[in-house]
Amino acid sequence: MMSVIELGEYGADFTANPYPYYAKLREAGPVHEVRMPDGFQFWLVVGHEEGRAALADPRLAKSPSVIGVRPPEEDIIGVHLLAADAPDHTRLRRLVTGEFTGRRVEGLRPRIQQLTTELADAMEPAGRADLVDAFAYPLPIIVICELLGVPAEDRDTFRRWSNQLVTPTGDQEFGQAMVDFAAYLDALIEDKRAAGPTDDLLSALITARAEDGDRLSGPELRAMAYLLLIAGHETTVNLIANTVRNLLTHPEQLAALRADPDLLDGTIEESLRYDGPVETGTFRFTREAVTIGGREIAAGQYVLVGIGALDRDPARFPDPDRFDIRRDTRGHLAFGHGIHYCLGAPLARLEGRIALRTLLDRFPDLELDPEGEPWEWLPGLLMRGVRHLPVRW
């Protein structure tokens, strides 16, 4: 019988660079029972083939109700796509997919370019900046807030809530941010109902109807807005910052990209694979006893798919610890797999490409700032990135 892995014993090195630890775990097997420092236990999948299958396995539910758990945030926010299973998930996704179209996303291109240019204009005179605060954070937050119809004056408040919800500093702070955010979204939705239809996405979701007349309820609207706002910007912040960090720490790859701009799309995809913004998926729950990677997992267990570990599996990607923007990255799982595949993947890719292209064009000598503060890595297993990225030019 294999012993439980104590993740707390890995220390701060695991937060800064988890990949060697995932590799060591993978050598011993694709699935492990692990324990957090607070005593919480779950199953962690680190093999690509096993993880890809788990992401699409209906025996692994996303709603904790299948194991008799009702998280307190469900009463506050409601049930969103990431915590729903078919047929509820199918219904919710159908109602939002009709409004979150490729045409709507592509229509954002001129505005994204305008915003990116304005941010670069504001950065340029100083010769140095924190790339997260000055560029990688404001771009996606403005884009998703404008897309949904969130007033500009509320963005800073929203950022504080979002930070607490994705990388919480404590249970009390997490709970208060959830309550405040839910109340804000309820008020915003009522304001939009009263104002009548406009061209933003939240207004479209309020009026959206399926062919059978189905529409989103008030709590469902709140939960959908919550998910789109949080997932629509936190991940893209780290996609942009991580990609720049990966290039600046691999100067030969940066030189290759500058020499051949056609490598831009490949750079974004390789960064997603090599050091993407989502380190693990959100929890899944076993409806029944399942066997994954030769390990028998009983019903009612928590399962976490290690996205970052999967995309460094040498069985799928040769020499996986090498950052190579010419690599064939097909099959990476940075946006998930199966019915929960990221709805916002086209928008994230569009923002990442425009942001990176603009930075390379405007700052030909962009480099890490040697006088900047040491990197502070985001805590927890969900998000992968640094709070600040000092650069100069």
Side-chain angles (χ1 to χ4, degrees), residues 185-200:
L185 289 174
D186 283 341
L188 180 64
I189 289 167
E190 286 310 306
D191 287 347
K192 290 192 175 294
R193 285 192 198 277
T198 57
D199 61 355
D200 63 72

Side-chain angles (χ1 to χ4, degrees), residues 158-201:
F158 166 68
R159 182 185 190 181
R160 290 199 302 274
W161 292 331
S162 182
N163 285 343
Q164 280 298 338
L165 293 169
V166 175
T167 53
T169 55
D171 290 343
Q172 183 176 345
E173 293 81 1
F174 175 87
Q176 190 60 54
M178 183 76 71
V179 170
D180 292 344
F181 197 11
Y184 172 81
L185 289 174
D186 283 341
L188 180 64
I189 289 167
E190 286 310 306
D191 287 347
K192 290 192 175 294
R193 285 192 198 277
T198 57
D199 61 355
D200 63 72
L201 180 58

Side-chain angles (χ1 to χ4, degrees), residues 12-70:
D13 285 348
F14 179 67
T15 303
N17 184 13
Y19 301 109
Y21 297 95
Y22 289 143
K24 188 174 181 180
L25 287 174
R26 196 186 307 108
E27 288 171 6
V31 181
H32 296 273
E33 192 171 13
V34 301
R35 183 160 44 223
M36 298 295 285
D38 62 3
F40 178 64
Q41 284 187 209
F42 56 92
W43 293 86
L44 178 65
V45 185
V46 295
H48 188 279
E49 181 180 349
E50 295 79 9
R52 186 176 187 275
L55 290 171
D57 191 335
R59 297 174 301 172
L60 301 178
K62 292 306 294 286
S63 171
S65 64
V66 303
I67 62 169
V69 173
R70 182 178 174 84

